[in-house]
Amino acid sequence: MGRRPADYRRLARRRLSSWIWLLLATFFVVGLVLFMVQHHHQQQDPSQLRVERVTRTEEVSPPRLNFTDEVTSASSFSRQLAEQMTLAKAYVFIAKEHNNLHLAWELSSKIRSCQLLLSKAAMRGQPILLDEAKPIVSGLSALIYKAQDAHYDIATTMMTMKSHIQALEERANAATVQTTIFGQSAAEALPKSLHCLMIKLTSDWLTEPSRHELADENRNSPRLVDNNLYHFCLFTDNVIAASVVVNSTVSNADHPKQLVFHIVTNRVSYKAMQAWFLSNDFKGTAIEIRSIEEFSWLNASYSPVVKQLLDTDARAFYFGEQASQDTNSNSEPKVRNPKYLSLLNHLRFYIPEIYPQLEKIVFLDDDVVVQKDLTPLFSLDLHGNVNGAVETCLEGFHRYYKYLNFSNPLISSKFDPQACGWAFGMNVFDLIAWRKANVTARYHYWQEQNKERTLWKLGTLPPGLLAFYGLTEPLDRRWHVLGLGYDVNIDNRLIETAAVIHYNGNMKPWLKLAIGRYKPFWLKFLNSSHPYLQDCVTA
């Protein structure tokens, strides 16, 4: 049988890789030869070893120097030592490969002497002098010549360096996978302090029946369906995260009494969530707490995603033996993140049915902090679109082809792979337009098509991109700044001018692995003086 195209591509990649390694090795050898020639002259006439630098010894109190500049200076002893040390380290590996342990020990000893001298020079902030450098340079040069004369030809050097580089690449890849797995595990774990808080709040709810009456009054408030007010929805089982979202929104609102928050949680967190929001003041904002179990209509016969989440194959995909095998391999660990089995994560596609009397609402994720008044969002013209969102394709990789499988004709025939992606987390929804376009039915259609997980891998954003395709109005980027849960290099000016900052990623602000410079923005709106929080943190 003839070779398939894939076989030719693999063969071409192997040949290209071989040529690249050969080219790198050639550069290495040429540099090595030039280096040896240079040091050969220096060894033959040590008295001429950069004599012009002797004048440094005559300086009584030399100025403190920038050691980084010193090491990169072409005329400094520091650079000469650093270059010789790098070359010597390479020969240590080669000597060990040939079982020449004595030479490897001698080279290592000289390398330590070189490191010590460079360290001393950096600490004192003064350049290395001729008298200091000369014995180490001469000793290293002699050992390098000895290594050359022993048995280390060009071919040996090339093969040895190639094998070491490949081994290092394999170790780096394995370390990257392990780091991602550990980070994912830490992000999924419930902090002990939060668990402690939920227990205390649940106990309060169970022992104080008067709170139940107050909760019933709040649920029957006419403000919950008043379209003259500003409505926000939040779906979460994290009490502290919900509190920060609500508190930051209320604190920055010009008229907090005109705000209404609709929070949906699960059965486990419902009592704690009620107890927290009933016992804290949010400046007169109306707050409704509901449990997802109340939505009896959201069942497997109506919702494809509910059917899929209950499916044994889907659960095995996240929790079974195959999931463990894939996590230990090089597959993307977050693909197996069990949070995608949470129906709370998919409620955003059922907002018009949860709130049938509302006309416009702002959806907020539980890992955001609000820094500006958000009520102007309700007066934005969405030009007949359903979803107002900030686009993310300013970074070139946030386009449709990165989220969806365009090798599938069902996707490639209906969508532009270069279409701009957008973000969930802060979205303004026109619910009248939503119902008219029947977006939820579009979402159901794509979930049905993806029951084998061939159109996209995970999450709610890919089906959102499909369901809201052609129905999304781009908002000014300052409304929603993302990346505080993974990107350590976000410009402070961008954060300070943002209406909403989003800690998307694993490094959530309530976790110990949060990025330190972003955490104060979140802590600012946490009621740290609450006695339960203080008790749980200190405990």
Side-chain angles (χ1 to χ4, degrees), residues 291-535:
S291 173
I292 192 172
E293 285 77 15
E294 297 176 29
F295 308 142
S296 58
W297 50 268
L298 191 58
N299 51 50
S301 62
Y302 170 66
S303 170
V305 72
V306 175
K307 184 178 179 180
Q308 291 171 22
L309 294 179
L310 295 176
D311 182 69
T312 53
D313 290 340
R315 302 191 75 83
F317 177 77
Y318 290 103
F319 293 117
E321 182 180 345
Q322 182 62 39
S324 300
Q325 292 173 358
D326 287 352
T327 300
N328 292 327
S329 68
N330 288 332
S331 67
E332 190 175 6
K334 74 176 184 177
V335 171
R336 305 290 179 176
N337 189 345
K339 86 172 187 179
Y340 298 110
L341 279 177
S342 170
L343 191 54
L344 282 174
N345 205 40
H346 296 267
L347 275 189
R348 64 194 70 188
F349 295 103
Y350 298 96
I351 292 174
E353 292 162 280
I354 300 172
Y355 310 109
Q357 294 174 281
L358 297 184
E359 298 175 354
K360 187 171 280 191
I361 199 167
V362 169
F363 165 78
L364 296 173
D365 263 336
D366 66 355
D367 53 354
V368 305
V369 171
V370 177
Q371 302 187 126
K372 309 284 184 184
D373 183 16
L374 295 186
T375 56
L377 283 170
F378 291 82
S379 59
L380 290 178
D381 185 0
L382 298 183
H383 301 97
N385 288 309
V386 177
N387 172 30
V390 169
E391 293 183 329
T392 55
C393 57
L394 289 177
E395 300 83 6
F397 53 87
H398 284 151
R399 295 187 180 275
Y400 269 49
Y401 72 89
K402 278 295 183 179
Y403 300 100
L404 303 167
N405 178 16
F406 273 86
S407 66
N408 190 305
L410 194 60
I411 296 292
S412 59
S413 64
K414 297 179 184 294
F415 301 97
D416 177 7
Q418 294 297 327
C420 191
W422 46 267
F424 271 130
M426 195 290 298
N427 307 79
V428 53
F429 292 124
D430 184 335
L431 300 184
I432 296 175
W434 183 315
R435 297 181 185 104
K436 183 178 179 181
N438 207 356
V439 174
T440 302
R442 295 172 69 168
Y443 166 70
H444 282 175
Y445 170 79
W446 288 112
Q447 284 289 358
E448 287 279 9
Q449 301 304 313
N450 193 49
K451 58 186 176 182
E452 301 297 330
R453 295 178 293 275
T454 57
L455 303 185
W456 67 86
K457 289 182 179 179
L458 76 164
T460 54
L461 181 56
L465 295 175
L466 300 177
F468 291 101
Y469 187 69
L471 298 173
T472 299
E473 180 71 16
L475 303 181
D476 189 300
R477 193 183 184 193
R478 289 171 295 182
W479 278 112
H480 186 192
V481 170
L482 298 102
L484 279 75
Y486 67 89
D487 187 354
V488 298
N489 296 314
I490 302 176
D491 192 326
N492 277 340
R493 292 169 295 181
L494 193 60
I495 296 174
E496 291 165 2
T497 58
V500 174
I501 53 176
H502 195 167
Y503 293 81
N504 57 309
N506 283 338
M507 300 179 184
K508 302 300 184 188
W510 54 84
L511 299 175
K512 288 185 178 180
L513 51 76
I515 299 173
R517 61 180 283 244
Y518 304 144
K519 198 164 184 175
F521 299 111
W522 187 82
L523 291 174
K524 178 181 177 181
F525 297 103
L526 178 65
N527 183 10
S528 303
S529 62
H530 194 285
Y532 285 178
L533 272 179
Q534 292 183 345
D535 289 347

Side-chain angles (χ1 to χ4, degrees), residues 21-22 25-26 28-29 32 90-100 103 147-165:
W21 279 114
L22 183 59
T26 303
F28 174 83
V29 172
L32 181 62
Y91 276 116
V92 168
F93 283 114
I94 299 172
K96 287 180 179 178
E97 287 285 335
H98 288 78
N99 207 30
N100 192 342
L103 177 59
Q148 274 189 313
D149 293 339
H151 40 248
Y152 308 142
D153 57 14
I154 293 175
T156 301
T157 302
M158 287 171 56
M159 294 304 297
T160 303
M161 295 305 295
K162 179 179 178 179
S163 65
H164 281 296
I165 290 173

Side-chain angles (χ1 to χ4, degrees), residues 228-243:
N228 293 315
L229 301 179
Y230 304 104
H231 295 265
F232 299 83
C233 62
L234 174 65
F235 309 133
T236 180
D237 59 356
N238 188 323
V239 176
I240 290 300
S243 178

Side-chain angles (χ1 to χ4, degrees), residues 176-189 506-507 511 513:
T176 300
V177 172
Q178 285 296 316
T179 300
T180 306
I181 293 172
F182 294 151
Q184 192 71 49
S185 299
E188 294 168 14
N506 283 338
M507 300 179 184
L511 299 175
L513 51 76

